Amino acid sequence: DIQMTQSPSSVSASVGDRVTITCRASQGISSWLAWYQQKPGKAPKLLIYAASSLQSGVPSRFSGSGSGTDFTLTISSLQPEDFATYYCQQANSFPHTFGQGTKLEIK
Amino acid sequence: QVQLQESGPGLVKPSQTLSLTCTVSGGSISSGGYYWSWIRQHPGKGLEWIGYIYYSGSTYYNPSLKSRVTISVDTSKNQFSLKLSSVTAADTAVYYCARTTARRDSLDYWGQGTLVTVSS
């Protein structure tokens, strides 16, 4: 299985801050990477697919980059509704695996 | 707008079979192009991909669960289902159904999730 490792596991930030979350794959996955946001008690929500494509309806302050093994999710200016847990997922090979999550907390 | 809704028992006894159904509305499973997925999340933990099915019946399973998992589809009811046999407490989790995009690279619509507890 391809292992997906996110860093940091948690981060504290303030409204208006720029935040970057990293996801590293244990082997190359080209651009087969998606990012999700999950709030407590809710299902995950797709933010980014194909490493850098913004899902319809997702605010433009979210962006993704990377290919191969190293990827980033950037939130350019944090809003109160962005405090949540973020997951990456690879779809390059089966099984499709997720990172362990990054919890974004209010400072 | 596509909507998915999980249904099934919230409590299953050890060694029995967990059975869940996902009802899709706002789109037809038989129209093709999409894969229909199951994902689970252990309490307070991360996400685990279980597998998915195409409307034709083609399936892909997580090897870690493959010996115990069956995903099936009923296009006449616009539903797909998950069966997980020989459950233990380690199978206690929130189970989500979701749609995998036509690109097969992400999950764009999710059900709300249903908690299944394995306990006697």
Side-chain angles (χ1 to χ4, degrees):
Chain A
D1 297 5
I2 296 176
Q3 305 303 314
M4 306 300 293
T5 304
Q6 291 182 230
S7 60
S9 295
S10 64
V11 58
S12 295
S14 301
V15 172
D17 283 354
R18 179 185 181 91
V19 170
T20 297
I21 298 168
T22 297
C23 180
R24 175 165 288 175
S26 60
Q27 62 189 76
I29 60 170
S30 186
S31 296
W32 292 87
L33 187 99
W35 288 98
Y36 302 87
Q37 176 193 69
Q38 186 178 34
K39 296 182 179 179
K42 300 294 186 181
K45 172 187 175 183
L46 177 63
L47 301 175
I48 301 284
Y49 62 92
S52 60
S53 297
L54 193 67
Q55 174 69 356
S56 176
V58 174
S60 59
R61 63 181 180 272
F62 292 92
S63 63
S65 65
S67 67
T69 60
D70 294 313
F71 302 86
T72 59
L73 172 71
T74 299
I75 310 171
S76 60
S77 178
L78 275 172
Q79 298 302 300
E81 60 268 29
D82 299 338
F83 292 94
T85 300
Y86 292 84
Y87 293 93
C88 61
Q89 181 207 13
Q90 66 83 19
N92 180 77
S93 60
F94 295 108
H96 294 180
T97 44
F98 292 88
Q100 82 280 14
T102 294
K103 187 173 185 178
L104 177 52
E105 299 175 300
I106 301 173
K107 184 182 288 184
Chain B
Q1 178 82 345
V2 175
Q3 293 184 310
L4 297 93
Q5 178 68 58
E6 304 89 351
S7 59
L11 180 64
V12 181
K13 289 182 167 52
S15 80
Q16 294 190 343
T17 296
L18 178 160
S19 296
L20 295 174
T21 296
C22 184
T23 300
V24 179
S25 58
S28 173
I29 289 178
S30 59
S31 64
Y34 301 101
Y35 286 72
W36 303 91
S37 307
W38 289 97
I39 302 95
R40 70 180 182 179
Q41 186 168 35
H42 295 101
K45 302 295 184 182
L47 298 159
E48 180 180 24
W49 184 83
I50 297 172
Y52 63 37
I53 190 165
Y54 196 54
Y55 80 98
S56 62
S58 297
T59 53
Y60 299 83
Y61 298 141
N62 190 324
S64 69
L65 298 169
K66 188 173 183 178
S67 63
R68 299 193 292 131
V69 169
T70 302
I71 298 176
S72 59
V73 66
D74 185 339
T75 55
S76 67
K77 295 181 179 179
N78 219 33
Q79 295 175 335
F80 62 107
S81 299
L82 170 70
K83 290 188 186 299
L84 182 65
S85 64
S86 304
V87 298
T88 70
D91 295 308
T92 293
V94 174
Y95 286 77
Y96 294 100
C97 60
R99 188 180 81 169
T100 296
T101 66
R103 300 175 305 271
R104 289 189 281 172
D105 64 357
S106 55
L107 298 143
D108 60 352
Y109 288 96
W110 294 66
Q112 64 185 24
T114 187
L115 174 63
V116 179
T117 301
V118 179
S119 175
S120 56

